[in-house]
């Protein structure tokens, strides 16, 4: 097949180039259709029960997503700040950036006799002044006044309350024991020293990712315009919309930055290896084309770019080099023996392509096992990288040799008595290549490793056997990572704001218990209250010196009703409805936040400390499950768990099984492919030994660094198997070729393979390692770990391919052919029989 392809490319190189370019243009045009998954929940699988619960919450209650604005100032009760908060409802209601579903609203009071001020829809905004605003509106409604709170000034307040606004708030409102208990403090909306306050705005549940991005920008601009001129005021905003905006910016900026760094590294590796400008530029052209085609295909088939896309471009560049370098190395090996360079291109294509094909297949296997991930973006990442790998292979055996043939024809056509300088062009290249510092260093290293493998093969095998066992033994020490916030860079403004808000106002990590049934029936209200109270009182709720779910962080329809009924639950459903209306008239948001309109769906809202350890995750799940079953299920209510903790549990429970299953499948697929290509069980398994070393190195490195396994690093083993085995494939393929020639003993075949292919393998390994090290610049903790551990594992793969594999091959074939070992020169140099 490759001989036929070689003839076609040699005969019609321009047709091949034009065909590839036209195909690339068609495929690449799909980039315009490419969209992103940039919201937090777009990262999560719809198969999770916790996500299904979230979807139901979105449908019944408009979701639970809030944008939280923290205002800090010398005193947040300052009149300018309080007047802004008082006017916020009016401003949101009138602003087209927020009043078309971006910020959710509840309908106004209906009826002809309803006060005009209460008939307007109310944006769902929660602040420490929410009850006071409701009281102002209620009192004005009683007096028949219709006055926008935006126009409320100190004179009006004094006329209304006999005090200026700041005095009224501090002396009368915040000093009220009931207000102080629910509003002031760590779990409230204003700190006890009045230096920080929160405003929470409920975001529309139907917004797309890019509508959320726009909302975040509009909200930030709005807040800075309204508050930015007040001396001493600092503003921090956190929430899903703000995170989506920051995430989108980060993905775009980091993807471009890491791509450029990878491109520069690829250029340096190619030029330092081959010392030729065109052998640097031509491969870079086809590498970029293959990336464009990959992104275009993603657009055409409706795949999205996401968190994983940051790593995709560097990985594909590194993968492309593992195909290019062996091809160019074989080309230059031929040039050393044949002046007619086009012959060398054809020879390289026919002799190397089969090995490169198998390397591409095993690479694709390694990426395809990402389909076992529980995260949709990682599934698409695996498919995209597999497609990109196969495209790189196709381009490396079509476009690259075609361009090289066009280039080198000018040298092939030189007459025997032609330009001497041009005629000896390739001799000069070979001399410069041999004199290169990297070349000489690589050759010395290869000679030393080759001598070690040939002369001490038994010892080499024994040492690696011990190292592999030690590496796999480390799996007992590994832990899993449970902090979902690590999936996003911690230096994003929204994440910094989130941590800062947690510092001032305690944990705001939200969980919820969804309750289904006739939730306003007295017996069911009693069960709902009992469940929330039991969670707060549960012995497991104490972690260290703090409560996981503090009393102020637990809310439910039953608790709201009791707050307006002197701590008593209603005796009838009708009384419950009246108490809900009373609570809403006092500023509580009940319908649409805690209770559905049909009164058949409610939630118990739980705000607690961030779960950054599996022990806390497990405690939270035990607390919710135990008390829900005890009080809700026993009362006849249906329930389901949702929020960050159940999401984390769903995400992390499959990490270890995913690691094991993906590794086994990758090993089996690679083994089948290797045995089939080499038509030998022994050669296939010897080649696969490289993968075992890589996985052992990965596990050992994780243990040494103290890094946990997370949703991304759990797939590193499968990728190491697919990518790392490439170096073994090319080595075995060349070794078998030398043996079949019939002129070389096994030891000579190993030496020839080492000196001619070893350098190419080292260069390809450096390229792969560099690609994974570049990923560590992404600022996303799981990706940084993934890049670091995979780079280390691939380093183990290349070392084993130059030591363990030669030793195993020698043991396999050495007994078949009587060996007459040549004395090894003191310099360690190998014979070069090409």
């Amino acid at each position: 097949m490759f001989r036929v392809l070689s003839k076609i490319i040699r005969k019609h190189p321009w047709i091949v180039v034009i065909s590839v370019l036209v195909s690339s243009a068609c495929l690449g045009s799909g980039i315009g259709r490419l969209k992103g998954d940039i919201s937090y929940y777009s990262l999560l699988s719809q198969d999770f029960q916790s996500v299904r619960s979230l979807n139901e919450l979105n449908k019944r209650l408009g979701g639970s997503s809030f944008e939280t604005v923290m205002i800090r100032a010398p005193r947040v009760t300052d009149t300018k700040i309080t007047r802004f908060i008082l006017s916020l409802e009016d401003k949101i209601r009138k602003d087209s950036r927020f009043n078309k579903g971006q910020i959710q609203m509840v309908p106004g009071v209906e009826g002809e006799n309803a006060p005009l001020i209460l008939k307007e829809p109310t944006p769902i905004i929660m602040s420490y002044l929410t009850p006071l605003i409701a009281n102002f509106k209620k009192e004005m409604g009683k007096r028949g006044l219709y006055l926008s709170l935006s126009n409320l000034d100190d004179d009006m307040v004094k006329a209304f309350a006999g005090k200026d606004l700041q005095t009224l708030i501090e002396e009368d409102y915040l000093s009220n024991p009931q207000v102080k208990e629910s509003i002031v403090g760590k779990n409230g909306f204003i700190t006890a020293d009045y230096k920080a306050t929160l405003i929470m705005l409920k975001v529309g549940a139907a917004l797309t990712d890019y509508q959320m991005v726009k909302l975040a920008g509009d909200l930030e601009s709005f807040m800075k315009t309204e508050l930015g001129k007040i001396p001493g005021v600092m503003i921090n905003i956190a929430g899903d919309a703000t995170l989506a905006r920051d995430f989108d910016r980060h993905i775009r900026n980091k993807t471009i930055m890491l791509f450029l760094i990878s491109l520069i590294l690829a250029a340096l590796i190619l030029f330092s290896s081959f010392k030729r400008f065109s052998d640097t530029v031509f491969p870079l052209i086809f590498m970029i084309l293959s990336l464009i085609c990959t992104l275009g295909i993603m657009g055409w088939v409706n795949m999205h770019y996401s968190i994983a896309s940051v790593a995709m471009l560097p990985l594909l560049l590194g993968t492309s080099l593992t195909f290019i370098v062996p091809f160019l190395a074989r080309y230059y090996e031929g040039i050393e023996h044949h002046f007619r360079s086009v012959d060398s291109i054809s020879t390289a294509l026919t002799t190397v392509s089969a090995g490169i094909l198998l390397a591409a297949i095993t690479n694709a296997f390694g990426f395809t096992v990402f389909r076992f991930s529980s995260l949709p973006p990682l599934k698409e990442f695996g498919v995209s990288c597999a497609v990109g790998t196969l495209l790189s292979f196709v381009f490396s055996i079509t476009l690259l040799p075609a361009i090289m043939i066009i280039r080198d024809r000018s040298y092939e056509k030189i007459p025997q008595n032609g330009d001497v300088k041009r005629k000896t062009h390739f001799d000069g290249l070979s001399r410069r290549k041999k004199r290169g510092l990297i070349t000489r260093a690589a050759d010395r290293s290869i000679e030393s490793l080759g001598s070690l493998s040939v002369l001490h093969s038994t010892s080499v095998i024994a040492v690696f056997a011990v190292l592999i066992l030690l590496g796999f033994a480390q799996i007992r020490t590994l832990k899993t990572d449970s902090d979902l916030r690590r999936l996003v860079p911690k230096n994003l403004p929204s994440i910094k704001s989130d941590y800062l808000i947690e510092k001032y106002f305690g944990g705001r990590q939200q969980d919820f218990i969804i309750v289904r049934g006739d939730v306003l029936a007295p017996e069911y209200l009693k069960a709902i209250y009992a469940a929330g109270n039991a969670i707060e009182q549960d012995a497991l709720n104490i972690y260290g010196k703090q409560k996981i779910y503090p009393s102020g962080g637990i809310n439910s329809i039953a608790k709201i009703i009791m707050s307006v009924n002197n701590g008593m639950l209603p005796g009838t459903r009708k009384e419950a409805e009246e108490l809900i209306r009373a609570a809403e008239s006092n500023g509580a948001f009940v319908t649409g936040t805690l209770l559905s309109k049909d009164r058949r769906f409610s939630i118990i809202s739980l705000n607690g400390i961030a779960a950054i350890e599996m022990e806390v995750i497990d405690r939270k799940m035990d607390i919710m499950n135990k008390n829900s079953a005890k009080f809700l299920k026993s009362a006849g209510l249906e329930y389901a768990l949702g929020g960050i903790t159940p999401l984390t549990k769903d995400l992390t429970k499959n990490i270890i099984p995913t690691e094991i299953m993906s590794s086994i499948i990758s090993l089996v697929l690679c083994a089948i492919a290797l045995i089939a290509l080499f038509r030998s069980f022994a050669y296939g398994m010897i080649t696969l030994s490289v993968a075992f070393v890589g996985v052992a190195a990965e596990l050992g490195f994780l243990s040494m660094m103290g890094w946990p396994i997370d949703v991304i690093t759990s797939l590193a083993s499968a990728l190491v198997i697919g990518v790392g085995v490439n170096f073994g494939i090319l080595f075995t393929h060349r070794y078998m070729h030398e043996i079949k020639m019939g002129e070389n003993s096994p030891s000579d075949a190993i030496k020839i393979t080492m000196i001619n292919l070893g350098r190419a393998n080292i260069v390809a390994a450096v390229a792969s390692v560099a690609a994974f090290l570049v990923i560590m610049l992404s600022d996303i903790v799981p990706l940084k770990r993934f890049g670091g551990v995979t780079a280390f594992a691939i380093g183990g793969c290349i070392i084993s391919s130059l030591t363990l594999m030669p030793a195993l091959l020698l043991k396999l074939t050495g007994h078949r052919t009587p060996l007459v070992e040549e004395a090894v020169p003191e310099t360690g140099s190998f014979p070069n029989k090409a």
Side-chain angles (χ1 to χ4, degrees), residues 37 205 428 536:
D37 281 334
E536 197 268 324

Side-chain angles (χ1 to χ4, degrees), residues 509-576:
Q509 197 172 80
Q510 187 179 39
D511 297 317
F512 45 83
I513 302 170
I514 297 172
V515 184
R516 304 183 193 91
D518 187 10
V519 293
L520 292 188
E523 65 272 24
Y524 293 154
L525 283 174
K526 182 179 180 181
I528 290 171
Y529 176 75
N533 188 57
I535 288 172
E536 197 268 324
Q537 299 295 329
D538 198 303
L540 289 176
N541 197 36
I542 303 295
Y543 183 75
K545 296 182 180 180
Q546 61 180 331
K547 286 188 175 182
I548 294 175
Y549 295 119
S551 177
I554 302 174
N555 203 8
S556 68
I557 182 64
K559 196 170 182 179
I560 291 289
I561 288 174
M562 291 177 67
S563 69
V564 294
N565 196 36
N566 298 317
M568 302 291 291
L569 287 168
T572 64
R573 199 176 282 106
K574 181 179 179 181
E575 185 182 352

Side-chain angles (χ1 to χ4, degrees), residues 276 331-332 335 339 341 407-408 411 422-431:
R276 195 177 188 187
Y331 161 73
Y332 274 106
I335 286 176
F339 166 67
S341 59
R407 177 197 65 184
D408 289 353
Y411 298 102
R422 293 184 67 204
K423 187 175 179 180
T424 60
H425 174 77
F426 291 103
D427 293 335
L429 284 176
S430 298
R431 287 194 297 272

Side-chain angles (χ1 to χ4, degrees), residues 528-752:
I528 290 171
Y529 176 75
N533 188 57
I535 288 172
E536 197 268 324
Q537 299 295 329
D538 198 303
L540 289 176
N541 197 36
I542 303 295
Y543 183 75
K545 296 182 180 180
Q546 61 180 331
K547 286 188 175 182
I548 294 175
Y549 295 119
S551 177
I554 302 174
N555 203 8
S556 68
I557 182 64
K559 196 170 182 179
I560 291 289
I561 288 174
M562 291 177 67
S563 69
V564 294
N565 196 36
N566 298 317
M568 302 291 291
L569 287 168
T572 64
R573 199 176 282 106
K574 181 179 179 181
E575 185 182 352
E577 288 282 9
E578 291 174 351
L579 291 168
I580 288 171
R581 285 193 290 272
E584 289 178 334
S585 70
N586 288 329
F589 293 98
V590 180
T591 303
T593 56
L594 293 173
L595 180 67
S596 63
K597 290 181 181 179
D598 63 6
R599 285 9 189 189
R600 303 290 301 175
F601 183 95
S602 184
I603 64 169
I604 301 173
S605 175
L606 306 166
N607 286 303
I609 63 174
I612 59 176
E613 298 176 356
M614 282 309 300
E615 182 182 353
V616 180
I617 295 285
D618 292 337
R619 281 192 179 218
K620 284 185 169 185
M621 292 299 296
D622 287 345
I623 292 169
M624 288 189 285
N625 275 316
K626 178 178 65 176
N627 292 293
S628 296
K630 182 176 180 180
F631 295 100
L632 302 177
K633 187 176 180 179
S634 62
L637 288 166
E638 296 180 10
Y639 74 91
L641 306 183
I644 295 297
T645 300
L647 280 173
T648 306
K649 189 67 176 178
D650 283 343
L651 196 61
T652 56
K653 68 183 179 183
N654 290 320
I655 284 179
I656 298 298
T658 297
E659 164 89 5
I660 295 171
M661 182 60 67
S662 63
S663 300
I664 290 173
I665 290 175
S666 187
L667 276 172
V668 170
L669 289 175
C670 287
I672 292 172
L674 291 170
I675 293 169
L677 179 76
F678 295 135
R679 287 177 288 179
S680 165
F681 179 82
Y683 279 124
M685 297 310 295
I686 286 175
T687 306
L688 198 61
S689 66
V690 173
F692 284 100
V693 173
V695 174
E698 174 215 345
L699 296 174
F701 185 74
L702 283 171
S703 177
M704 179 176 65
M705 297 297 293
W707 288 353
I709 298 179
D710 53 46
V711 291
I712 299 181
T713 52
S714 64
L715 297 163
S717 294
L719 186 59
V720 167
I721 292 166
V723 175
V725 79
N726 288 358
F727 309 115
I729 290 169
L730 295 171
F731 194 99
T732 302
H733 186 263
R734 179 61 184 267
Y735 173 80
M736 292 176 68
H737 173 73
E738 295 296 334
I739 288 291
K740 286 178 182 178
M741 290 176 65
E743 299 177 1
N744 300 308
S745 68
S747 58
D748 282 342
I750 286 172
K751 293 174 183 179
I752 294 169

Side-chain angles (χ1 to χ4, degrees), residues 32-78:
R33 298 165 53 91
L34 195 60
K35 298 179 181 178
D37 281 334
I38 53 176
S39 67
Y40 191 74
Y41 289 106
S42 67
L43 301 176
L44 305 172
S45 171
Q46 295 297 313
D47 295 332
F48 290 168
Q49 175 59 49
S50 53
V51 175
R52 290 197 293 268
S53 297
L54 177 66
N55 292 337
E56 186 174 14
L57 183 64
N58 289 340
K59 180 180 177 181
R60 299 293 192 96
L61 296 180
S64 60
S65 179
F66 285 84
E67 285 300 290
T68 302
V69 181
M70 183 171 72
I71 302 170
R72 289 177 292 157
R75 207 157 186 85
V76 294
T77 54
D78 176 81

Side-chain angles (χ1 to χ4, degrees), residues 18 31 122 297 368 398 407 409 419 494 504 558 561 563 820:
I18 292 170
I31 290 179
T122 303
I297 291 172
T368 303
T398 55
R407 177 197 65 184
R409 270 181 173 170
D419 187 339
S494 53
Y504 278 85
I561 288 174
S563 69
V820 181

